[in-house]
């Protein structure tokens, strides 16, 4: 009687190799600077101010116009639209307060 012996090692080694390749591709994609979306919208974040642990006030630029949006963990709301402004990039730590006061002044216009 012929008995055929089966060894699970080739299958286990093949599985480890395939899983290693999948993890390596995922790591490479995460480390690469290739954008995953090919959106034609040119959108840029101008400024952001934290209002609480999960609330932010964000100014984004879309097509030469600034949009002020409120971002929470549950929703994103448009607050105002402003014409494109010039930025004062002084790099000081008081920029958050300057941002808030200048935003309030521009919204009053």
């Amino acid at each position: 009687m012929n008995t055929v012996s089966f060894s699970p090692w080739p299958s286990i080694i093949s599985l480890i190799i395939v899983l290693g390749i999948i993890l390596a591709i995922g790591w490479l994609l995460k480390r690469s600077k290739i954008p995953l979306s090919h959106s034609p919208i040119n959108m840029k974040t101008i400024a952001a101010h934290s209002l609480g642990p999960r609330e932010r006030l964000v100014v984004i630029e879309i097509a030469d116009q600034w949009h002020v949006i409120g971002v929470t963990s549950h929703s994103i709301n448009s607050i105002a639209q402003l014409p494109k402004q010039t930025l004062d990039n002084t790099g000081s730590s008081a920029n958050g307060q300057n941002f808030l006061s200048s935003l309030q002044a521009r919204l009053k216009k």
Side-chain angles (χ1 to χ4, degrees):
M1 202 162 172
N2 288 337
T3 60
V4 177
S5 64
F6 174 73
S7 176
W9 291 110
S11 297
I12 292 173
I13 292 172
S14 298
L15 179 63
I16 290 172
I17 290 172
V18 168
L19 289 176
I21 290 172
I22 291 172
L23 290 175
I25 290 172
W27 181 78
L28 285 173
L29 287 175
K30 186 176 179 181
R31 300 280 297 171
S32 69
K33 301 293 182 188
I34 301 171
L36 296 179
S37 71
H38 301 289
S39 175
I41 297 174
N42 188 13
M43 183 172 62
K44 180 171 54 171
T45 302
I46 303 299
H49 185 74
S50 179
L51 302 175
R54 295 186 181 177
E55 297 86 18
R56 298 185 70 78
L57 191 61
V58 181
V59 178
I60 58 173
E61 180 183 331
I62 301 174
D64 293 331
Q65 194 172 38
W66 285 6
H67 298 267
V68 181
I69 57 174
V71 180
T72 68
S73 60
H74 299 289
S75 66
I76 299 173
N77 297 315
S78 177
I79 297 172
Q81 292 182 3
L82 304 169
K84 185 176 178 179
Q85 308 284 322
T86 58
L87 290 177
D88 178 24
N89 292 330
T90 59
S92 68
S93 62
N95 274 347
Q97 193 63 27
N98 292 341
F99 167 70
L100 188 58
S101 61
S102 66
L103 178 63
Q104 288 172 345
R106 288 180 183 156
L107 286 176
K108 289 179 184 177
K109 288 183 182 179

